[in-house]
Structures are given as structure tokens and as C-alpha cells.
Amino acid sequence: MDYHFPLFSDQSGEQNGEKKGEKKGEPEKKGEKKGEPKYLGSIVVSYKLSAILQDAVPWWFAKDNEISIVDIDDRVVAVRADGGPGLNVFTHSRSLDLPGVSLMLKTNSINNSPKLLSNVLVLTVIVLALGLSWSLWELWRDVLRRQAVETALQAQVAFRKAMEKSLVTGLRVRSMDGHLVYVNPAFCAMVGLTEQELIGQKMPFSFWTQAAYEAFGADLPMAEIPVVHNGFETVYQHAAGHEFPVSIYESPLVDENGLQTGWMGSILDISERKKTELTLRQSEDKLQRSARLATMGELASMMAHELNQPLTAINTYASGILNMMKSGKVESDELIPALDQMQKQAVRAATIIRSVHDFVVKRGPNRTQRQFSEVFNAVLPLIQMQAKTYLISLKFDVETALPDVLIDPISIEQVILNLTRNALHAMHDLPMKQRVLHITASRKGNQVQVEVIDNGAGITEEVAERLFSPFFSTKAEGMGMGLNICRTIIEFHGGQLNYLPNPSGGTIFSFTVPVASHGSVQTELI
Ligand code: ADP
């Protein structure tokens, strides 16, 4: 861009002014008055505006702004736009102070307005909307979760109710102060009372039998109530009046904080079990009787032989007496010794017959307190009779002061007889001199122990494996029930039946029965 600066001289001839628009080299016109400024010429200034922009504006400014120079008519005369055109958002104008020209320097930023506030608001709204959506989503999930839990809970409650209804075991909870706080339908049915009638009852409960009332009494302190965890048996009374046996398992009821709040009892009506047990006992009894009869078969021939002696003696004495009386020479005093002998022989025969009869006749199990010697003496004639038949000598070591025992005498007699019979059989093939049956009875703590010792063939491993199995016998005529029954009888008495080899050959069978004072049975009632 070029600019002219005209030069004029004043009247004194000094160059003192300039007049725009007057052209350089214009000749002074004729008629010009003296003293008027005289045009001298023009100075021409040339600006290169693009170069000004290039050099004067720093690069870092130019890259973010479009810088332009416009003239007085707003025409762009130079522009620098390194970073691209301005966005007319941030602009600035100022006049460019150049001699002789009126120009404007315009700055137009290429950056857009940050719109911070609106952005923040929008962002906030977005965040809030997202938060709301998330909350709703979580709420929905929570509702679903709750619904699922509720459904599961309902199902579980229904399941528990169904279980409770179908449970045959009676359940009842009593609080720490002895009140009934829960009963299940099975328990109600068992005692014939409704839940309303049972809940709140205080000990003694209405379903206790008279025996329970008498045992505890209404004022029994709680501390004295026996607490049994391993179960016990007692008798309850139905509302209709009949009594029935029950088995009770009692355990502490503990809440979620670990505090005991009462006692939980599960009660089983064991009437059926008792009936089955009775039937079983009866069958066992029958079996025992059969075994006794089988033994008796063997005994019968021995008995015939054994009775022969006293009967022959009686016959002889009777014939002698008869002859003496027929001759008429006899005094009544002379007959007394013969009659006395006759009586003794008759008593001997009667003892043999009674011991066999007692042994065979059926009697139910009846545990009573007995002197052991009494039981032993009852079976002794039978042992002697058998020993005589098998030509076996007997040896007894029975302690004199044995305590009383709690036993069913007939069963224990059978055990002794079975063991001695087996021992005699085991020695059958020995030379006569060696055949000795040794029986001992002694106290061992709270038990009385009986040993039946033979010096027979002993028990082989093969036989030992099946020794107590029912119907196992190595004898041609054997029933194979003897040892099995013996073991049942002894275990029923709370004792043990064992065997071990006799160090001098043969076998030692031993069994124990409880001493009377330690065998009493305790009854507990709740
Ligand atoms: P049974 O006498 O009818 O055979 P048991 O049950 O009494 O039935 O005995 C089973 C078997 O045990 C006998 O057949 C015998 O083989 C064996 N046994 C029992 N006692 C003795 C003993 N003292 N010595 C050797 N064997 C014995």
C-alpha cells in the first residue's frame, strides 16, 4: 500500500505544510497570489502490510487467531490465518497507528466459546439422570431380590408347615421356667389334646402319668428335673385315659445369640416297637424252649438211666419189706431203716425228675435278685447226670461268699447247662483219665464270672468264625443254637459271653452276670 505525503512551502518560502490530495510535481498556476503555500512535491510511503503481520505478530498468537488489517471502508487489506479462519466468537479490533493511514487491526480467535456453564449444567443433568436411572435399576433389582427372597421364604414356610404336619415324631418346646411354648400336630395327636390346650401348660403336664406326678410333684424345683440328651423311655397318658410308652430325646434350644431359651424334646410313640419287642422276646422264648426240649431229648435217656438206680433200689427195699411182712416175723422197728432208704431213693428220683421238669417247663423271663449258689445247685444234678453218662470227672471252684446276682435263673441255668454239655461233648474222645470238667464262679468287680473249662479238642479257626451263628453245628445231632441263645441271654442280662483257648488244651468259656445292687434299672420321666 502506498501513501502520498504532499509537501508545501509557506509565504516565506518555508516548507511548512502538507495538503492532502495535491499531486507531486503539479506546476504553480498562474494568478496564484503571493504568500499562499506553494506545493513543493510529495513523499510516497509504501507499507507492506502482509510483511508487518508476518513479522510483528508472534507465531504462538498467530496459530490461535486470524489477524487481519482492514481499511477505513472495512475492506481486508492483509490477513494472517496460520491456524485457520476465526470463528467470530472472540474478536478484538484496534486502530493501527501508522502515519498517514487509517487502518484497523482485527483479531479473530479460531477457538469456540467454552460454554462452561451450560456444559456443567448439562453434565449435571446427565449425571443426575444417570444416577436416577442407576437408582431405579438398583431399586428394581432390590425389589426383584426381595420378591425372590419372599417367594423362597414362603416356599420354606410352606415346606416347614408341610413337614411339621407330616412329621410322625412329636415335637414340643418347654421354656426355661417349665411352660410349654410349642407343640407340633404329631405331639397333639399323640396326647389327644389341642395346641391351645397344651401351650402354656406348666409342669406337671396333663399328659404325664400318675407315676410322673408322684415322682416329681407339682412343686418340683426346675433344677431337679433330669435332663437327658441320649434319649430315655417313659410312659405318657392320652387324653382318653390310656397310657402308652414313648421315647424322648431332649436337647437345649439355643437362639441366634447362643443363649439357651428352653428345651426341645422329640417324642416318639414306641407302642408298636414295644409290641414287636414283645413278639421278638416271645419268639426268642419259644426258641429257647425248643433248645431246652432238644437238650431234654438228650437228657431223657440219661434220666432213664439215672432213675433206674433209685427205682431198682426202691424195688429191692420194697420186696424185702414185703417178704419180711409176709413171713410175719418182723417187728415194725426193723422195717424203719429199709423204709428210710426207700424214701431217700424216692427223693433222689424226684430231684432228678424235678430238675429236668424245671428246666424244660416254659417260664417267661423274670429277672430277680438271687444267690448264685442257688442257681448253680439247681442245675448241678443235671450236670452230674451228664458227667456220669460221659464218664467225666467234675471239679468245682465256686466262691462261698458270692454276692447276689440280678438274673433270670432259668435262663442262666440253661446257659450253664449248654456250656457244660458242649464241654462234655468236646472231651468225649479223650482217654477217660483226662476227662475233667472244671467249673469256677468268682466275683469280678460288679460282676460274677462263671468259667466252664474243658481240656477237649479246642476250637479251630474255621469253627471260631461261625461259633455264634445260629444253626451252626459240627455235631451230627447238633441243633447249632446253643451258643447263639447263650450269648443272647447273657447280653440281655448286661453281661458278656467269651471264650479263649485253655493253656493246657481245650477251651475256657466264660460269662458274666451283674451283681444285684449294680443292676437296678432307673426310670426317668419328663
Ligand atoms: P450244638 O451244640 O448244637 O452244636 P452250639 O451252638 O452249642 O450248638 O455249638 C456250636 C458248635 O461250637 C459246636 O457244634 C462245636 O463245634 C463248637 N463248640 C462249642 N463248644 C465247644 C467246646 N467247648 N469245645 C469245642 N468246640 C465247641
Side-chain angles (χ1 to χ4, degrees):
M1 177 174 266
D2 298 336
Y3 283 92
H4 297 257
F5 296 93
L7 294 176
F8 298 95
S9 64
D10 55 15
Q11 283 177 324
S12 58
E14 289 174 27
Q15 294 175 11
N16 59 350
E18 56 186 76
K19 206 165 187 176
K20 243 184 196 176
E22 282 181 343
K23 291 193 182 147
K24 192 181 161 186
E26 206 173 322
E28 197 180 316
K29 287 179 182 166
K30 268 186 181 175
E32 266 181 349
K33 295 179 182 167
K34 206 178 171 187
E36 283 184 3
K38 185 185 171 190
Y39 174 74
L40 298 177
S42 293
I43 297 172
V44 178
V45 178
S46 188
Y47 299 103
K48 196 170 183 197
L49 295 173
S50 57
I52 292 172
L53 288 180
Q54 204 60 44
D55 297 339
V57 178
W59 63 270
W60 48 268
F61 187 77
K63 86 179 166 49
D64 289 335
N65 299 283
E66 177 192 342
I67 306 116
S68 55
I69 299 172
V70 295
D71 63 11
I72 201 154
D73 300 324
D74 218 18
R75 278 178 305 172
V76 177
V77 291
V79 68
R80 179 174 174 185
D82 294 358
L87 296 180
N88 297 320
V89 176
F90 298 109
T91 55
H92 181 70
S93 301
R94 60 165 293 184
S95 60
L96 203 59
D97 196 16
L98 290 174
V101 286
S102 285
L103 293 173
M104 294 291 287
L105 182 69
K106 283 193 173 182
T107 308
N108 188 354
S109 173
I110 63 167
N111 293 324
N112 210 337
S113 67
K115 295 180 186 165
L116 183 65
L117 189 61
S118 60
N119 280 352
V120 166
L121 285 175
V122 168
L123 199 70
T124 310
V125 170
I126 289 169
V127 168
L128 284 176
L130 282 176
L132 196 67
S133 310
W134 182 79
S135 305
L136 280 172
W137 168 247
E138 276 301 310
L139 199 68
W140 176 242
R141 274 177 30 142
D142 192 53
V143 167
L144 286 181
R145 258 201 310 266
R146 273 169 198 276
Q147 269 178 354
V149 170
E150 213 169 282
T151 312
L153 205 68
Q154 275 169 357
Q156 209 167 54
V157 168
F159 177 69
R160 273 169 200 276
K161 280 239 178 279
M163 237 171 58
E164 219 183 297
K165 273 188 189 162
S166 56
L167 207 65
V168 288
T169 309
L171 296 177
R172 61 127 179 76
V173 175
R174 60 185 168 92
S175 60
M176 295 304 278
D177 62 353
H179 283 89
L180 276 184
V181 290
Y182 169 81
V183 284
N184 73 340
F187 186 82
C188 295
M190 210 179 272
V191 295
L193 294 168
T194 63
E195 194 179 335
Q196 290 74 27
E197 287 168 324
L198 286 164
I199 298 291
Q201 273 199 25
K202 190 171 166 36
M203 284 197 273
F205 302 128
S206 64
F207 47 84
W208 280 6
T209 58
Q210 193 60 34
Y213 278 104
E214 281 162 16
F216 295 135
D219 302 324
L220 185 80
M222 289 300 298
E224 285 179 39
I225 293 169
V227 173
V228 187
H229 301 275
N230 296 328
F232 61 96
E233 288 179 11
T234 186
V235 178
Y236 272 1
Q237 190 167 29
H238 191 272
H242 63 269
E243 296 183 355
F244 57 98
V246 289
S247 173
I248 301 178
Y249 289 85
E250 196 83 7
S251 54
L253 186 73
V254 178
D255 69 11
E256 66 272 16
N257 301 319
L259 289 173
Q260 187 184 347
T261 55
W263 290 95
M264 177 88 195
S266 49
I267 297 103
L268 211 60
D269 182 344
I270 51 169
S271 308
E272 284 307 312
R273 199 181 84 193
K274 286 279 169 194
K275 268 187 215 157
T276 316
E277 274 174 16
L278 187 68
T279 317
L280 203 70
R281 255 206 314 276
Q282 282 169 346
S283 340
E284 266 176 16
D285 209 31
K286 272 188 195 154
L287 196 66
Q288 282 189 34
R289 193 168 168 238
S290 310
R292 281 202 297 274
L293 283 170
T295 311
M296 197 225 163
E298 199 176 317
L299 287 174
S301 62
M302 296 178 199
M303 195 171 72
H305 176 262
E306 193 72 359
L307 285 178
N308 203 29
Q309 267 189 337
L311 288 177
T312 310
I314 290 168
N315 190 25
T316 311
Y317 287 121
S319 306
I321 292 167
L322 210 61
N323 288 337
M324 285 168 82
M325 289 183 80
K326 274 183 189 167
S327 68
K329 295 175 193 166
V330 66
E331 292 293 318
S332 58
D333 285 0
E334 290 173 53
L335 296 177
I336 289 174
L339 285 170
D340 197 38
Q341 279 303 319
M342 268 179 76
Q343 192 201 17
K344 278 188 182 148
Q345 291 302 322
V347 168
R348 189 180 159 199
T351 310
I352 294 168
I353 291 167
R354 197 172 48 247
S355 60
V356 174
H357 173 265
D358 282 353
F359 177 68
V360 173
V361 81
K362 178 190 176 291
R363 264 193 270 160
N366 181 21
R367 283 219 266 171
T368 49
Q369 189 167 335
R370 288 291 176 99
Q371 276 189 330
F372 183 76
S373 54
E374 205 183 303
V375 181
F376 188 69
N377 289 336
V379 84
L380 190 59
L382 298 176
I383 297 172
Q384 285 169 332
M385 192 169 76
Q386 292 185 101
K388 206 167 173 184
T389 310
Y390 288 103
L391 303 171
I392 286 167
S393 39
L394 292 170
K395 189 178 162 196
F396 300 113
D397 280 319
V398 178
E399 270 179 28
T400 43
L402 277 177
D404 285 2
V405 283
L406 189 74
I407 54 165
D408 172 32
I410 295 297
S411 302
I412 297 300
E413 279 172 26
Q414 187 178 350
V415 172
I416 298 173
L417 207 60
N418 269 339
L419 297 181
T420 51
R421 195 180 58 116
N422 278 344
L424 295 172
H425 286 165
M427 291 187 285
H428 191 249
D429 295 332
L430 287 181
M432 261 208 320
K433 272 193 209 161
Q434 292 174 23
R435 297 180 198 172
V436 182
L437 174 64
H438 186 188
I439 298 176
T440 71
S442 56
R443 183 176 183 152
K444 292 270 172 340
N446 297 327
Q447 313 258 321
V448 166
Q449 187 186 52
V450 179
E451 286 181 327
V452 179
I453 308 161
D454 68 65
N455 43 14
I459 293 174
T460 61
E461 233 173 78
E462 198 188 351
V463 171
E465 273 172 25
R466 304 177 58 198
L467 197 63
F468 292 99
S469 310
F471 306 111
F472 168 73
S473 177
T474 56
K475 301 168 197 168
E477 310 270 303
M479 193 177 166
M481 285 304 295
L483 287 178
N484 182 277
I485 289 173
C486 286
R487 193 164 67 172
T488 310
I489 291 172
I490 295 302
E491 283 175 1
F492 172 72
H493 281 80
Q496 282 189 322
L497 174 68
N498 292 313
Y499 73 95
L500 54 125
N502 184 356
S504 55
T507 315
I508 302 173
F509 271 90
S510 68
F511 70 85
T512 54
V513 281
V515 168
S517 55
H518 296 273
S520 48
V521 180
Q522 284 182 349
T523 314
E524 285 149 309
L525 296 154
I526 283 192

